[in-house]
Amino acid sequence: MRKPKLIRITTVPLSLDKLLGGQLHFMNSFYEVVAVSAEKAYLEKVGIKEGVRTFTLNMTRKITPFQDLTAVIKLFLFLRKEKPFIVHTHTPKAGIIGMLASALAGVPHRFHTVAGMPLLEATGFKRKVLDFVEKLTYSCATKVYPNSHGLAEIILKNNYCSIEKLKVLANGSSNGIDTDYFNPEFYSDTQKATLRNQLTIAEDDFVFVFVGRLVADKGINELVLAFNQLSEENAGVKLLLVGDYEAELDPLTPETLAIIQSNKSIITVGFQSDVRPYLAISDALTFPSYREGFPNVVMQAGAMGLPAIVSDINGCNEIIKEGENGLIIPVKNLNALLKAMKKITEQREVTNILKEKARPMIVNRYEQQLVWKAILEEYKRLE
């Protein structure tokens, strides 16, 4: 008997590869999975890696109405030909294009996962446009899955859709965390010492790490300013920035960029396909983001045994419990961030308690198989 067809769509294949890694391969045992995204070469690599068929659809993360309309038409024709049982979209642009084309094509089950809302930082006319697009996306979907309880509350507060359409799966997260892969035991003291030496990090330095896009709405401006002040008072600290800049979409301030260049205690390594070695040599994650869905990096760091300083936003404040596996600070609060960084470096007995609970709290709540099975159960109940 032929398996039902499942189409999963993201704006760019990086999301399929890094944010949903392994999930398509898992679902392919139960459904005929087709991955749809932009960037043909990268998408095809993801298809080979996950063992699924692919279809390239040109999309961008910017507001591009004419290109988006072309994408809707192309996807509509593809869906009419494929006749999938389920279309499941992730990321905002893939959501509107995927849900609209699916509704027009008569796809019976149209799912959209919400994993963050860039529109929350928008204002004026742009915010009105993005609000309209969000509502249209949800109206075309038959089910909407916020990947955190906080996001569900935001959706209801903004009247984007009814509560009947919403459901948070498992304990949150779009993909869970592979705690066998993110395991600090893989890295020996010798390996860690070698990498620290390569990055000019002393054996007794306390290392704060950030993993993600180096952009304003991740709180990088506040993080760099806070660390710059901390490093003036404490020479035994380092800040490790793992990720790329996005100068066009959400640039950092000139002051922040100048500090990154001039402060020798700030180390940038760019985008890394495997962040585990950098987490392994660090002592604490700093993640003062303005908005998130359910941030993978906070789970990854926790699985690697790191406590985290996070902002009090949805997702972050569900993964981190204040005083148990990390510290929670107000959003965009430079002084609170600096105070938390001082606390975690100076009060080592507190830090040790946070470290002890970091990994167990992730393993018990966000193991990847738990999340995958919850999504699969949603699919299976439709058959």
Side-chain angles (χ1 to χ4, degrees):
M1 182 177 176
R2 189 169 185 177
K3 293 184 290 187
K5 191 171 293 181
L6 165 65
I7 293 182
R8 302 291 293 270
I9 309 176
T10 64
T11 307
V12 294
L14 178 66
S15 299
L16 291 170
D17 188 20
K18 300 302 178 183
L19 302 183
L20 298 174
Q23 191 177 137
L24 273 62
H25 178 75
F26 172 81
M27 294 298 174
N28 206 40
S29 298
F30 308 93
Y31 296 91
E32 181 188 343
V33 178
V34 183
V36 176
S37 195
E39 301 172 18
K40 183 176 181 180
Y42 189 0
L43 177 61
E44 288 177 350
K45 289 181 181 178
V46 174
I48 293 170
K49 180 181 176 182
E50 298 284 344
V52 301
R53 189 156 56 94
T54 62
F55 176 73
T56 305
L57 186 69
N58 292 325
M59 293 178 281
T60 70
R61 290 162 56 197
K62 299 179 181 179
I63 299 175
T64 51
F66 295 109
Q67 185 174 336
D68 297 342
L69 179 59
T70 301
V72 169
I73 294 170
K74 184 178 179 180
L75 182 59
F76 165 77
L77 295 174
F78 176 73
L79 295 175
R80 286 290 296 268
K81 176 185 175 183
E82 294 288 330
K83 296 180 173 56
F85 181 62
I86 300 170
V87 170
H88 191 163
T89 59
H90 299 255
T91 66
K93 181 62 73 70
I96 182 59
I97 291 173
M99 290 296 94
L100 183 56
S102 298
L104 293 172
V107 176
H109 304 292
R110 307 180 297 275
F111 298 161
H112 177 59
T113 290
V114 186
M117 288 187 171
L119 63 84
L120 295 177
E121 291 298 315
T123 57
F125 178 72
K126 182 179 180 181
R127 175 62 185 264
K128 291 180 180 179
V129 170
L130 293 176
D131 277 337
F132 171 77
V133 170
E134 202 77 7
K135 289 181 179 180
L136 181 58
T137 300
Y138 298 176
S139 69
C140 292
T142 57
K143 200 73 178 179
V144 177
Y145 299 107
N147 71 351
S148 75
H149 293 283
L151 268 180
E153 293 174 6
I154 291 170
I155 290 168
L156 292 173
K157 182 180 178 181
N158 286 274
N159 297 312
Y160 291 142
C161 74
S162 65
I163 193 170
E164 290 77 19
K165 271 193 179 183
L166 294 180
K167 186 173 183 180
V168 178
L169 299 176
N171 294 310
S173 174
S174 301
N175 202 42
I177 180 75
D178 185 348
T179 56
D180 290 331
Y181 182 77
F182 286 94
N183 190 333
E185 293 182 2
F186 287 154
Y187 296 90
S188 66
D189 290 341
T190 300
Q191 288 174 308
K192 291 187 285 187
T194 299
L195 181 54
R196 275 185 168 237
N197 186 55
Q198 290 173 356
L199 297 173
T200 64
I201 298 173
E203 182 180 352
D204 56 351
D205 280 345
F206 189 100
V207 181
F208 291 101
V209 63
F210 171 87
V211 179
R213 295 177 296 116
L214 303 183
V215 295
D217 71 3
K218 291 292 185 182
I220 300 299
N221 291 315
E222 291 83 357
L223 174 57
V224 168
L225 288 172
F227 179 81
N228 192 51
Q229 185 171 332
L230 178 65
S231 65
E232 289 176 355
E233 303 171 9
N234 183 350
V237 293
K238 292 288 193 296
L239 174 61
L240 182 56
L241 300 176
V242 184
D244 281 339
Y245 298 97
E246 287 190 0
E248 294 183 5
L249 289 175
D250 190 17
L252 301 177
T253 66
E255 180 185 8
T256 297
L257 292 171
I259 292 172
I260 292 172
Q261 289 293 323
S262 62
N263 191 327
K264 301 303 181 184
S265 293
I266 299 177
I267 303 161
T268 60
V269 296
F271 172 80
Q272 298 292 325
S273 58
D274 186 358
V275 300
R276 294 175 301 168
Y278 301 92
L279 295 173
I281 64 169
S282 300
D283 296 289
L285 175 75
T286 43
F287 199 74
S289 181
Y290 299 172
R291 58 165 185 86
E292 291 294 327
F294 209 88
N296 282 339
V297 66
V298 180
M299 292 189 292
Q300 292 167 357
M304 293 292 290
L306 297 188
I309 300 171
V310 301
S311 43
D312 191 8
I313 56 174
N314 59 272
C316 287
N317 57 17
E318 294 173 42
I319 300 168
I320 299 301
K321 303 298 181 185
E322 172 67 27
E324 293 187 45
N325 59 343
L327 304 176
I328 301 175
I329 60 170
V331 181
K332 303 181 184 180
N333 192 315
L334 174 61
N335 290 331
L337 176 57
L338 177 58
K339 184 178 178 181
M341 293 174 79
K342 284 184 177 181
K343 181 176 182 178
I344 216 164
T345 53
E346 296 171 359
Q347 300 181 29
R348 293 301 177 96
E349 67 283 355
V350 173
T351 306
N352 289 336
I353 292 171
L354 301 179
K355 284 185 176 182
E356 286 177 7
K357 294 185 178 180
R359 179 170 169 81
M361 288 182 69
I362 297 299
V363 172
N364 293 336
R365 294 183 293 158
Y366 303 115
E367 173 56 47
Q368 197 163 67
Q369 290 290 328
L370 177 72
V371 177
W372 289 356
K373 288 176 181 177
I375 298 171
L376 180 61
E377 286 175 8
E378 285 293 291
Y379 293 166
K380 286 295 183 182
R381 69 180 177 82
L382 303 171
E383 296 179 14

